Amino acid sequence: MRIEEKFMELKERKEGALIGFITVGDPELESTVDIVGSLIEGGIDIIELGLPFSDPIADGVVIQRASERSLRNGMNPDLYFKIVKKIKYEIPKICLTYYNLVLQRGLEKFVKDCRNSGISGIIVPDLPIEESEALLRACRDYNLDLIFLVAPTTTEERLKKILKEATGFLYVVSLLGVTGVRENLSTKIKPTLMRINKFNPKIPIAVGFGISKPEHVRNVIRIGADGAIVGSAFVRIIEEYLNNREKMLHRLEKFAMELKKGTTMT
Amino acid sequence: MKMKLPNKIGKFDIYGGKFAPEVLMPALEELESGFRKFINDEEFQNELNYYLREFAGRPTPLYYAKNLTEKLGGAKIYLKREDLVHGGAHKLNNTLGQALLAKKMGKKRIIAETGAGQHGVATAMAASALGLECEIYMGEEDVERQKLNVFRIELLGAKVIPVKSGSKTLKDAINEALRDWLANVDDTYYLIGSVVGPHPYPMIVREFQRVIGRETKKEILRKEEKLPDIIFACVGGGSNAMGIFYDFLREDVRLIGVEAGGKGIRTGKHGATLYAGTDGVLHGMYTKLLQDKYGQISESYSIAAGLDYPGVGPELAYLLRKRRLEVLYATDEQALKAFMELSENEGIIPALEPCHALYHAFRFAGKMNGDDIIIVNLSGRGDKDVFVVAKELGVEL
């Protein structure tokens, strides 16, 4: 399913999107399909599937540890696409990884493998707009969205360039820093959204980094985002129940359900 | 050879660039415009030159290694004595330049990564001299290996933050410093220690290290009335190499970079990125890397902590591709041999890093003529390495 279709469908239901992130192959290679199943059962609308890199500079400790666990399990892009192909739920799947893994596979092959395993978008946190031309071209050839990030520090000039190329949704980084669970919602979200909205973007906007509680989701949607992205808070549950799969799946589903309640638009 | 590199987008032909998270992109732009503004500013240059002269002890001598030249019976060997720079290595040239830039740009806090600890010490020195707050990221394993430098950094009033992620060495310290910068980009200056990272860092570090080559050129012309035949420098990230090579790029001089062969290339335990690496993206740059076929970064290894890095400056990758640079490697064992040779014959205890370059310089010298000239960039002194060397020799200290 296309990402923008999903956002439109939700908008008709007066809902924001709950976007979940997990690292594929964490805690075990076999557990990913069930974990995604539980998250969907709980109500997530879009799933970001992390392909772990040895040097994830944009990630905080929780996702770093998930990457390390997955890599220790022998995760690699070949395995990743095999596993992702097995995730056959009717929600958009997005691949999140770092540029070197895309580059080493070959841009076209990587994008093709995404397409063939049912992925509809790619996020590459260390690929800024300036360096994205080749991957953009490959994504267009295979009808995939390349999702760009916008930060509180992004200048107007850069924002214009990004909005020109962005498809799928615009990934707004809520704060200055890395991914991770935070106690409070960043105060930088509102001004960033205001700056973006000045350009009347046609593309949906989702906010991520630090979004870890139901009230965070509710607030993000209330101040005008079309979606909220939750990663580390899910991964933390996985980490907490490494040896109790049943309980892990149950907790993930319940937590997704609590978060999803916050996406109702008023 | 075209000299105006990097180009507008920070590329040295295919290498370099800016592969950084969006949060940092505006900061990199700010850094570039700050650098371009001040590098041509007379007041900035005067202040920097003052610190380089009065604080760092520049210019450093170009020392004629008479004993070894006679012993080997070939080319004349000169040593560019960066080991005599305050702090014991060439690193201070760059940290003074960047710390001064940080101050002019209104930043109050400096962060840096360090492997062997030399860049950490040099950053702490510059920060202390210029009155800036300073925190140094260092892999937990390196903290253990380089206790002496950790203590020096702390004596200088800076804080060492041990990095527990990944392989717990230099590459992970860079990751963690980048993560800190992401969170504190408003008031913090990230002072990278080598010609690596996203543009404009490779250019900035090169420009602040060029003083090595500029002095070398002037001095060799004064002493010998001609340019050298070969210049040798060790290559980890590549800052001492770019520093001495850059002003000779357009001259008819062979430039040879020597990487860490570790326990031998075939064992996989080495740091020979240019020699054995493949192209990819790490730490914001497109360059040569040690990596597996999927693009996961491999752990490097060297007896010399300063060469223990799985990447290399993009400009060096470019120069190799253009065949302007030749690349060799020396193993741990060969570096140790050169370490003993220089210590015994010249009364200079070198750092293990330049010993890699010395090994090949000595080998070449013996086969060359008496009127040929070799220059080696002696990038640091060996005090920091005596424990490692003693252990290798089976001596208990």
Side-chain angles (χ1 to χ4, degrees):
Chain A
M1 187 182 200
R2 288 302 296 245
I3 296 163
E4 289 186 47
E5 271 173 52
K6 185 72 191 182
F7 274 97
M8 271 194 294
E9 175 197 306
L10 288 166
K11 200 145 205 178
E12 278 168 24
R13 297 209 308 252
K14 290 204 174 335
E15 276 176 37
L18 175 61
I19 303 170
F21 167 91
I22 55 143
T23 299
V24 172
D26 170 44
E28 281 132 35
L29 293 177
E30 298 75 32
S31 43
T32 300
V33 176
D34 289 344
I35 285 174
V36 176
S38 295
L39 293 175
I40 292 175
E41 219 32 61
I44 65 161
D45 302 297
I46 296 172
I47 182 76
E48 286 179 15
L49 297 161
L51 166 59
F53 177 48
S54 53
D55 295 79
I57 52 168
D59 284 305
V61 288
V62 172
I63 294 176
Q64 281 176 45
R65 286 197 296 259
S67 298
E68 283 172 20
R69 282 194 297 272
S70 172
L71 288 171
R72 268 203 304 274
N73 293 337
M75 178 51 65
N76 64 48
D78 295 334
L79 272 173
Y80 174 87
F81 288 117
K82 260 185 216 153
I83 293 171
V84 170
K85 207 167 182 172
K86 286 193 219 154
I87 305 174
K88 293 189 191 300
Y89 303 99
E90 255 312 293
I91 68 167
K93 293 185 281 189
I94 294 172
C95 168
L96 192 149
T97 195
Y98 288 81
Y99 194 47
N100 199 41
L101 298 189
V102 183
L103 209 54
Q104 298 311 320
R105 198 169 188 80
L107 303 189
E108 179 161 345
K109 182 163 168 30
F110 193 94
V111 168
K112 205 164 135 189
D113 287 339
C114 280
R115 185 80 272 177
N116 290 340
S117 46
I119 286 167
S120 39
I122 308 181
I123 304 173
V124 189
D126 61 342
L127 187 71
I129 187 84
E130 288 86 339
E131 301 285 358
S132 66
E133 203 188 311
L135 187 58
L136 260 174
R137 209 177 313 126
C139 282
R140 280 184 193 134
D141 288 347
Y142 287 87
N143 209 12
L144 237 67
D145 293 319
L146 183 56
I147 292 152
F148 286 97
L149 290 89
V150 169
T153 49
T154 303
T155 55
E156 300 237 324
E157 197 185 328
R158 299 186 56 76
L159 191 53
K160 263 189 246 170
K161 274 192 223 163
I162 292 167
L163 282 169
K164 224 179 104 202
E165 306 294 351
T167 55
F169 66 87
L170 202 61
Y171 190 135
V172 171
V173 178
S174 78
L175 44 77
L176 303 182
V178 292
T179 59
V181 174
R182 307 286 201 285
E183 190 54 34
N184 297 311
L185 202 59
S186 163
T187 53
K188 294 187 187 285
I189 300 173
K190 213 169 173 176
T192 310
L193 289 181
M194 278 167 66
R195 288 197 301 126
I196 296 169
N197 283 329
K198 270 200 299 192
F199 293 95
N200 285 319
K202 290 182 192 72
I203 187 169
I205 295 168
V207 179
F209 282 53
I211 315 295
S212 38
K213 294 176 180 180
E215 69 245 43
H216 292 170
V217 173
R218 200 173 310 122
N219 282 327
V220 161
I221 300 299
R222 204 178 53 205
I223 57 179
D226 304 296
I229 306 163
V230 178
S232 297
F234 284 132
V235 175
R236 199 169 59 167
I237 292 174
I238 292 172
E239 188 165 56
E240 205 176 326
Y241 296 101
L242 283 180
N243 300 315
N244 192 341
R245 196 176 162 124
E246 285 306 307
K247 205 158 182 185
M248 176 203 294
L249 295 175
H250 178 70
R251 284 284 301 127
L252 285 170
E253 182 181 332
K254 252 189 90 189
F255 186 55
M257 211 177 275
E258 287 166 37
L259 294 170
K260 181 60 194 168
K261 281 182 200 152
T263 63
T264 311
M265 288 176 175
T266 45
Chain B
M1 175 160 293
K2 232 169 92 193
M3 294 297 286
K4 282 263 167 81
L5 291 178
N7 65 15
K8 225 169 50 200
I9 54 168
K11 292 271 168 82
F12 304 90
D13 192 3
I14 62 168
Y15 294 110
K18 274 192 229 188
F19 295 87
E22 179 60 26
V23 171
L24 295 182
M25 293 301 286
L28 292 170
E29 285 168 14
E30 181 198 353
L31 176 59
E32 185 176 354
S33 57
F35 173 75
R36 289 194 191 281
K37 179 176 158 198
F38 288 112
I39 197 69
N40 295 315
D41 179 76
E42 207 186 310
E43 195 187 319
F44 180 88
Q45 282 301 337
N46 287 341
E47 207 171 335
L48 179 57
N49 287 334
Y50 167 81
Y51 279 103
L52 287 175
R53 190 178 63 241
E54 307 287 330
F55 184 68
R58 302 208 71 90
T60 59
L62 184 65
Y63 181 68
Y64 173 48
K66 184 166 167 283
N67 301 339
L68 274 170
T69 298
E70 281 169 9
K71 188 178 165 194
L72 297 166
K76 278 181 145 178
I77 302 169
Y78 281 92
L79 305 172
K80 179 58 175 166
R81 298 292 306 275
E82 293 299 297
D83 60 317
L84 295 177
V85 175
H86 177 44
H90 72 293
K91 293 288 180 188
L92 191 67
N93 305 331
N94 168 48
T95 60
L96 277 174
Q98 286 201 64
L100 194 59
L101 180 61
K103 201 174 171 179
K104 298 279 179 197
M105 288 173 67
K107 307 286 179 184
K108 293 183 171 48
R109 174 173 177 261
I110 282 180
I111 54 169
E113 81 294 338
T114 196
Q118 290 306 102
H119 175 56
V121 168
T123 305
M125 283 175 167
S128 170
L130 294 167
L132 293 158
E133 195 188 322
C134 177
E135 290 180 38
I136 307 288
Y137 286 92
M138 190 167 183
E140 207 171 44
E141 194 151 307
D142 290 330
V143 169
E144 193 50 42
R145 285 195 282 192
Q146 303 286 346
K147 282 182 195 154
L148 198 66
N149 273 342
V150 172
F151 188 53
R152 288 167 83 200
I153 293 167
E154 286 166 350
L155 286 174
L156 291 160
K159 197 175 144 194
V160 175
I161 306 173
V163 175
K164 295 174 170 55
S165 60
S167 58
K168 304 177 174 70
T169 59
L170 178 59
K171 94 177 161 73
D172 309 283
I174 296 178
N175 291 340
E176 215 47 46
L178 282 167
R179 290 180 187 123
D180 180 312
W181 201 30
L182 278 166
N184 301 295
V185 68
D186 288 340
D187 67 345
T188 296
Y189 184 99
Y190 178 22
L191 204 161
I192 290 188
S194 192
V195 285
V196 300
H199 176 68
Y201 282 109
M203 171 181 76
I204 290 180
V205 178
R206 177 194 76 198
E207 289 302 313
F208 287 135
Q209 290 293 2
R210 269 180 70 183
V211 62
I212 304 172
R214 233 179 278 143
E215 287 176 9
T216 301
K217 199 172 192 177
K218 199 170 141 194
E219 204 46 26
I220 198 69
L221 287 173
R222 197 180 67 82
K223 287 195 160 91
E224 296 282 349
E225 294 177 336
K226 63 172 187 172
L227 293 173
D229 296 275
I230 312 179
I231 302 176
F232 285 93
C234 62
V235 177
S239 72
N240 90 83
M242 277 318 300
I244 195 163
F245 290 161
Y246 195 73
D247 280 59
F248 291 91
L249 283 182
R250 279 199 275 195
E251 309 292 353
D252 184 22
V253 176
R254 281 176 76 183
L255 306 174
I256 302 181
V258 185
E259 298 190 299
K263 294 187 190 298
I265 302 296
R266 256 178 275 166
T267 66
K269 289 190 160 65
H270 63 85
T273 314
L274 288 168
Y275 188 86
T278 51
D279 294 351
V281 168
L282 176 70
H283 296 147
M285 58 181 165
Y286 185 71
T287 187
K288 290 235 177 272
L289 303 173
L290 300 179
Q291 58 184 332
D292 70 11
K293 66 170 180 172
Y294 294 113
Q296 305 292 0
I297 307 305
S298 313
E299 283 181 33
S300 53
Y301 162 81
S302 171
I303 192 172
L307 303 185
D308 194 351
Y309 179 57
V312 67
E315 191 163 14
L316 288 148
Y318 160 76
L319 292 171
L320 178 65
R321 186 182 158 90
K322 292 284 164 199
R323 295 168 191 256
R324 180 63 192 94
L325 172 73
E326 296 166 63
V327 172
L328 299 170
Y329 65 85
T331 62
D332 288 358
E333 207 179 310
Q334 291 166 337
L336 275 167
K337 207 175 141 204
F339 179 93
M340 303 303 292
E341 193 91 5
L342 192 76
S343 302
E344 283 169 14
N345 291 289
E346 295 291 350
I348 298 168
I349 299 177
L352 283 168
E353 287 80 3
C355 287
H356 290 72
L358 287 170
Y359 172 79
H360 285 290
F362 297 161
R363 207 170 54 83
F364 272 60
K367 297 182 205 154
M368 292 166 73
N369 298 323
D371 51 0
D372 292 338
I373 300 168
I374 282 176
I375 296 177
V376 186
N377 194 5
L378 194 64
S379 57
R381 68 175 186 228
D383 305 40
K384 71 179 175 64
D385 293 319
V386 291
F387 288 100
V388 174
V389 173
K391 200 175 147 205
E392 290 293 322
L393 300 177
V395 178
E396 202 150 328
L397 296 183

